Amino acid sequence: MSGEVPERSRQLPRVLRGPRPEAVPAWVARACALVGLVDIAAGVFPRFRHSRMHALAEVLPGALGPFAAALSLSTGVLLLLLAHGLRRRKRRAWRAAVALLPAGAVAQFAYRHSFVGLLISVLLLVMVLRHRTEFEALPDPRSRWRALTNFVLMSAGSLGLGLVIVSAHSNRMYGDPSLAELLSHVMYGLFGFEGPVDYDGPTSWTVGYSLGALGLLTAITTIYFAFRPEHPAARLTPEDEDRLRVLLDKHGRRDSLGHFALRRDKAVVFSPSGKAAVTYRVVSGVMLASGDPIGDVEAWPGAIERFMDEAKAHSWTPAVMGCSETGGEVWTRETGLDALELGDEAVVDVADFSLAGRAMRNVRQMVKRIERAGYETRVRRIRDLGDAELDRIRLAAEDWRGTDTERGFSMALGRIGDPGDGDCLIATAHKTDDQPGPYGDLKAILHFVPWGPDGVSLDLMRRDRAADPGMNELLIVAALEAAPRLGVTRVSLNFAMFRSALARGEKIGAGPVLRAWRGLLVFLSRWFQIESLYKFNAKFRPRWEPRFVVYRASGDLPRIGLAAMQAEGFVTLALPRLLRRRTAAPTPCTHAVADRGTVRAI
């Protein structure tokens, strides 16, 4: 008999069985969004408040007269904000819904005697309580960014919605006010003052309360986000950095991006055995890892599992940028995620490199021309430089940066000359017969990070804008020629995004779709270094190693792309000093209790 109940339940129609538990957050979020939109419409349009459709919006309390419109607007906006948290399975959003739904049910029965509103409230409340285990996601990282974003979006939304409110009561207006007067009335109303537009009867109070509610809601939410306790950004602790360096010493030869895991603005999660780790940063709700896991391949699944557990605990979208083919296979096998080829990494084998031959004629001629102009090069380890020269190189690299924002995440270390990075390689160009500049005879810099004991990976290229063109080619050739003396057998250059599409699209016989795709990439190269990086790398006749992006669903790709652009520094937003993120000690995440110090939430 005990086995008959599940069999009968499986035979029930889908409507009676209800949604699958994992789909409940999305259904609840849609219901809250619908109720919020209808509530906003009920507050904006006077006639709509008394229509039968308003029964859908009766989940939250309302009242007749001027307070009804103001309350409908404010609760509608809050419901829209709450819907996003419910969709992401946030525990705090669930608690807010549990508190609001009973209040809405009681208010509907007391003020409107609406059985439909009471029923909707109870049904939603039952669904939320029944599936409470689906809402276990921890809060997102807190920062001052959220306050500024909230202020901008809420201000724009309040201004637009306020203009609709003022215009919706045009039949009660005295005269025919202009658009400038309507906007002025909205601005005054958001700050709680009476504007230049006059209405007949109690309509003036209705509009005034509605505008005041929008302004108050904007101010309260912004103040809350600005002054609530901040959850600090990720900081790699010295203990975690030491553990990563041990793993890199043993297994760093496997991945050219391994040393970039030592960026100190990343978080890290270790496998239970401590033999592997995944570093990441959370950007706009995307848990973004880069490169392959660090450490023993046999321990990668344990670190990946910890990574996915952390993403699930916070309802973050997991993604990996720039992993190798081996890394992509492990990620997809262990997690069920998908992989897409993102581009190719240019790797030059030192033993095979030569300036001889027709294929290298352009590079050879450029290097000879620069050398005849009086430039000389020096290639050394960081540990072999003096403090004064290191300080000069740091200042020059900062000054020669082309943008205000430091770019790089997947293939950038973010520092030069740190005591722990003595094995890093630096190539510098000098012109001794020229008038000394602010940094002496220094004209260009190339910085490489270690890639195991016998390789290096390009970190940054900086040059004096007044120097002759060809500095980067000169220094790359100098580094390759000095590599045998330094025990380097392979050099990883820049990453060329969509390299295969660009290469195949320019060949004879390429189809119309491939040619169109290449044309789009060439067009985008006006703003992003897509084609230029490919052509620059191709000068040195490298071998191409494919790199992949790992993602959960195709619908996540635009969000992952935006998060990657933010992490790399292509999409930035300057904050006022008051709202800037302060540096603080990292807070342990969900695994810190079981494995102390393994993860830092951001």
Side-chain angles (χ1 to χ4, degrees):
M1 294 296 292
S2 59
E4 296 179 1
V5 176
E7 183 66 28
R8 292 175 181 175
S9 64
R10 286 196 295 268
Q11 295 175 358
L12 290 174
R14 166 60 63 185
V15 176
L16 297 180
R17 280 185 287 169
R20 298 185 305 273
E22 60 272 16
V24 167
W27 280 99
V28 172
R30 294 190 191 104
C32 284
L34 176 62
V35 171
L37 290 173
V38 177
D39 236 4
I40 291 173
V44 172
F45 304 104
R47 295 181 181 178
F48 187 77
R49 284 205 309 272
H50 303 289
S51 68
R52 293 182 180 179
M53 285 188 66
H54 190 59
L56 295 174
E58 291 177 342
V59 175
L60 291 179
L64 299 176
F67 290 101
L71 189 57
S72 294
L73 284 172
S74 58
T75 55
V77 172
L78 289 174
L79 270 177
L80 288 177
L81 297 176
L82 181 65
H84 178 68
L86 290 172
R87 182 182 296 276
R88 296 189 60 203
R89 305 170 182 266
K90 294 298 182 181
R91 187 67 175 178
R92 290 184 177 179
W94 177 86
R95 291 172 180 168
V98 170
L100 289 173
L101 289 174
V106 172
Q108 283 302 314
F109 189 77
Y111 291 120
R112 298 177 183 266
H113 306 289
S114 171
F115 180 76
V116 175
L118 176 65
L119 183 61
I120 293 176
S121 299
V122 171
L123 288 177
L124 281 176
L125 180 61
V126 169
M127 178 179 291
V128 168
L129 290 175
R130 179 184 176 187
H131 299 282
R132 60 185 178 275
T133 56
E134 299 297 325
F135 300 89
E136 296 292 343
L138 300 176
D140 281 342
R142 304 172 185 172
S143 72
R144 308 305 182 217
W145 291 89
R146 187 67 182 275
L148 181 62
T149 303
N150 179 83
F151 176 75
V152 172
L153 295 180
M154 288 290 292
S155 297
S158 297
L159 186 62
L161 195 55
L163 189 60
V164 174
I165 294 171
V166 172
S167 304
H169 298 270
S170 58
N171 60 328
R172 296 282 187 176
M173 289 181 185
Y174 288 116
D176 187 17
S178 63
L179 178 60
E181 290 176 320
L182 294 178
L183 286 172
S184 178
H185 190 85
V186 173
M187 291 298 296
Y188 275 108
L190 292 176
F191 285 95
F193 301 104
E194 185 158 350
V197 180
D198 293 325
Y199 295 92
D200 179 29
T203 304
S204 178
W205 289 92
T206 302
V207 174
Y209 275 118
S210 299
L211 294 177
L214 287 175
L216 185 63
L217 190 62
T218 301
I220 290 176
T221 54
T222 301
I223 292 172
Y224 168 73
F225 287 128
F227 293 100
R228 66 177 177 171
E230 187 178 8
H231 195 295
R235 291 292 181 269
L236 200 65
T237 66
E239 294 79 10
D240 287 338
E241 184 174 338
D242 290 341
R243 296 179 66 183
L244 286 174
R245 289 185 183 276
V246 171
L247 294 179
L248 287 172
D249 289 341
K250 295 180 179 179
H251 309 281
R253 195 180 191 280
R254 184 175 298 279
D255 186 16
S256 63
L257 305 188
H259 197 84
F260 298 118
L262 298 177
R263 283 184 64 104
R264 289 167 184 155
D265 57 356
K266 287 185 177 182
V268 58
V269 56
F270 288 89
S271 65
S273 64
K275 295 181 179 180
V278 175
T279 58
Y280 67 91
R281 186 193 298 171
V282 177
V283 182
S284 298
V286 177
M287 191 175 181
L288 197 63
S290 59
D292 292 344
I294 308 299
D296 188 356
V297 176
E298 298 296 328
W300 282 9
I304 291 174
E305 183 180 3
R306 284 285 182 87
F307 178 89
M308 297 301 293
D309 288 345
E310 193 71 9
K312 182 178 180 180
H314 292 269
S315 191
W316 290 330
T317 300
V320 185
M321 297 294 297
C323 65
S324 67
E325 188 169 3
T326 301
E329 290 176 354
V330 177
W331 273 100
T332 55
R333 183 184 71 238
E334 296 296 328
T335 63
L337 302 178
D338 290 325
L340 179 68
E341 186 173 343
L342 187 61
D344 295 88
E345 176 188 9
V347 178
V348 178
D349 293 314
V350 174
D352 298 333
F353 176 77
S354 173
L355 286 176
R358 183 178 180 84
M360 298 297 293
R361 183 179 59 180
N362 291 336
V363 177
R364 182 173 63 251
Q365 291 176 348
M366 179 173 290
V367 170
K368 293 298 183 184
R369 178 178 59 82
I370 295 296
E371 289 176 343
R372 286 194 299 267
Y375 289 90
E376 64 178 36
T377 59
R378 303 168 192 170
V379 182
R380 295 159 290 175
R381 297 284 184 182
I382 286 289
R383 60 173 173 265
D384 297 329
L385 274 66
D387 293 339
E389 187 174 6
L390 266 178
D391 291 338
R392 186 167 65 252
I393 290 173
R394 290 193 196 99
L395 292 174
E398 179 71 19
D399 187 33
W400 295 341
R401 189 173 63 202
T403 61
D404 293 334
T405 304
E406 181 76 52
R407 290 181 175 175
F409 171 70
S410 300
M411 300 183 70
L413 187 60
R415 61 181 183 264
I416 297 178
D418 189 86
D421 300 325
D423 287 338
C424 289
L425 201 67
I426 191 158
T428 55
H430 305 262
K431 192 173 185 181
T432 56
D433 59 350
D434 200 0
Q435 188 71 21
Y439 308 107
D441 60 356
L442 184 63
K443 298 299 180 182
I445 303 166
L446 255 64
H447 187 255
F448 298 84
V449 300
W451 174 13
D454 61 346
V456 292
S457 183
L458 182 60
D459 177 23
L460 63 81
M461 300 185 294
R462 301 279 167 82
R463 68 179 181 88
D464 188 347
R465 300 299 174 183
D468 294 310
M471 291 290 101
N472 292 331
E473 289 87 344
L474 173 68
L475 288 180
I476 287 178
V477 170
L480 290 170
E481 291 178 341
R485 170 174 58 85
L486 298 169
V488 175
T489 61
R490 53 193 178 153
V491 177
S492 170
L493 300 180
N494 288 306
F495 172 77
M497 185 174 291
F498 306 119
R499 196 275 315 176
S500 58
L502 290 169
R504 292 197 301 265
E506 63 183 357
K507 291 183 178 179
I508 297 177
V513 175
L514 188 56
R515 287 185 179 273
W517 174 228
R518 182 183 181 277
L520 176 61
L521 293 176
V522 172
F523 174 75
L524 294 175
S525 296
R526 298 180 181 180
W527 297 276
F528 306 101
Q529 294 181 339
I530 300 176
E531 185 184 30
S532 60
L533 275 179
Y534 159 58
K535 290 185 175 180
F536 177 82
N537 292 336
K539 292 180 181 180
F540 304 96
R541 315 297 293 176
R543 56 182 169 88
W544 300 100
E545 297 289 342
R547 291 280 175 172
F548 299 83
V549 55
V550 178
Y551 60 96
R552 182 171 55 189
S554 300
D556 293 334
L557 286 175
R559 186 179 180 189
I560 293 171
L562 178 60
M565 292 177 69
Q566 289 179 271
E568 297 288 351
F570 290 102
V571 178
T572 58
L573 181 63
L575 283 176
R577 185 180 299 273
L578 178 64
L579 300 179
R580 288 180 187 170
R581 177 182 294 159
R582 298 191 184 98
T583 302
T587 301
C589 74
T590 53
H591 292 296
V593 175
D595 190 0
R596 190 168 183 174
T598 57
V599 184
R600 295 296 180 267
I602 62 178

